[in-house]
Amino acid sequence: MITIQPDASATWAEPIDMLYACHGRVKNFCRQLRILPDYLAQNGINQAVKNDVQQILNYFNLAAPLHHDDEEKDFFPALVQVAPQAQANINELERQHIKLHENWTALAKQLNALIQNECDEVDVQLIEQFIAGYDVHIALEEPLFEMGKQYLSAEQLHAIGKIMAARRKIS
């Protein structure tokens, strides 16, 4: 498996770029997940697989929930204030966040078992369900990021970026 490094060019000063960067990491980790079953079938479990799976677990256990908080607590409320037409999509995205977390819980259980040598494969259907959920989600969400670039002021974006960084205790 190939470990893909996150986009280092995004900063908290540009919170929408950070939201996009998170989506980039999600897409990269989903690509890794998609190849995982075939890799395991051909090569078995090795330390490289365990390392990559641990990175995926870390991301979706820690960073993804923070990303969803960034959206639900800061970005979406600010956006709907200036672009009320976004409310229906925001409602749907928030419903999807719940399903994404449910899908992750099921998949994470298997991934944890894999790295603890309690199993030697992962359910392909769980992986595909997880990836499909994010594919739909990102396709609906990224146009809202563009709306944010269009409608939110530099001051609003700066304030959102500071909150996002503080959520992660980054100065």
Side-chain angles (χ1 to χ4, degrees):
M1 294 182 67
I2 299 171
T3 303
I4 301 171
Q5 296 300 314
D7 178 7
S9 64
T11 69
W12 298 109
E14 298 292 337
I16 293 174
D17 290 347
M18 288 300 285
L19 294 172
Y20 272 118
C22 288
H23 282 186
R25 287 187 283 282
V26 167
K27 291 173 187 176
N28 289 337
F29 286 131
C30 285
R31 278 192 285 277
Q32 285 183 279
L33 284 167
R34 183 165 275 135
I35 66 172
L36 180 61
D38 287 341
Y39 184 91
L40 290 171
Q42 293 174 10
N43 303 291
I45 301 169
N46 56 43
Q47 193 57 50
V49 168
K50 288 182 179 184
N51 292 344
D52 287 349
V53 169
Q54 187 61 61
Q55 282 187 323
I56 293 167
L57 283 161
N58 291 344
Y59 184 81
F60 286 105
N61 285 336
L62 302 170
L66 290 172
H67 172 80
H68 292 166
D69 280 351
D70 294 337
E71 294 166 342
E72 292 181 7
K73 294 178 180 177
D74 305 306
F75 178 71
F76 292 162
L79 181 62
V80 82
Q81 289 291 324
V82 295
Q85 67 273 26
Q87 186 65 64
N89 285 346
I90 289 170
N91 292 344
E92 175 58 24
L93 289 165
E94 289 177 347
R95 282 190 292 275
Q96 288 178 8
H97 283 166
I98 294 166
K99 187 64 177 169
L100 291 170
H101 289 286
E102 290 170 359
N103 289 345
W104 174 246
T105 299
L107 181 56
K109 184 176 179 180
Q110 286 196 4
L111 295 174
N112 277 309
L114 184 76
I115 63 172
Q116 293 170 11
N117 296 316
E118 296 170 2
C119 70
D120 58 1
E121 61 184 20
V122 180
D123 184 337
V124 174
Q125 186 176 350
L126 276 179
I127 290 173
E128 290 303 322
Q129 179 179 331
F130 180 74
I131 294 169
Y134 265 107
D135 287 346
V136 168
H137 187 74
I138 289 171
L140 181 60
E141 197 165 63
E142 288 188 349
L144 294 185
F145 295 170
E146 291 303 309
M147 287 179 75
K149 286 182 175 183
Q150 180 181 358
Y151 289 106
L152 294 171
S153 69
E155 294 79 18
Q156 288 171 303
L157 291 170
H158 179 74
I160 290 169
K162 285 181 73 170
I163 294 167
M164 289 167 62
R167 185 170 284 120
R168 291 157 181 83
K169 300 183 181 10
I170 298 169
S171 55

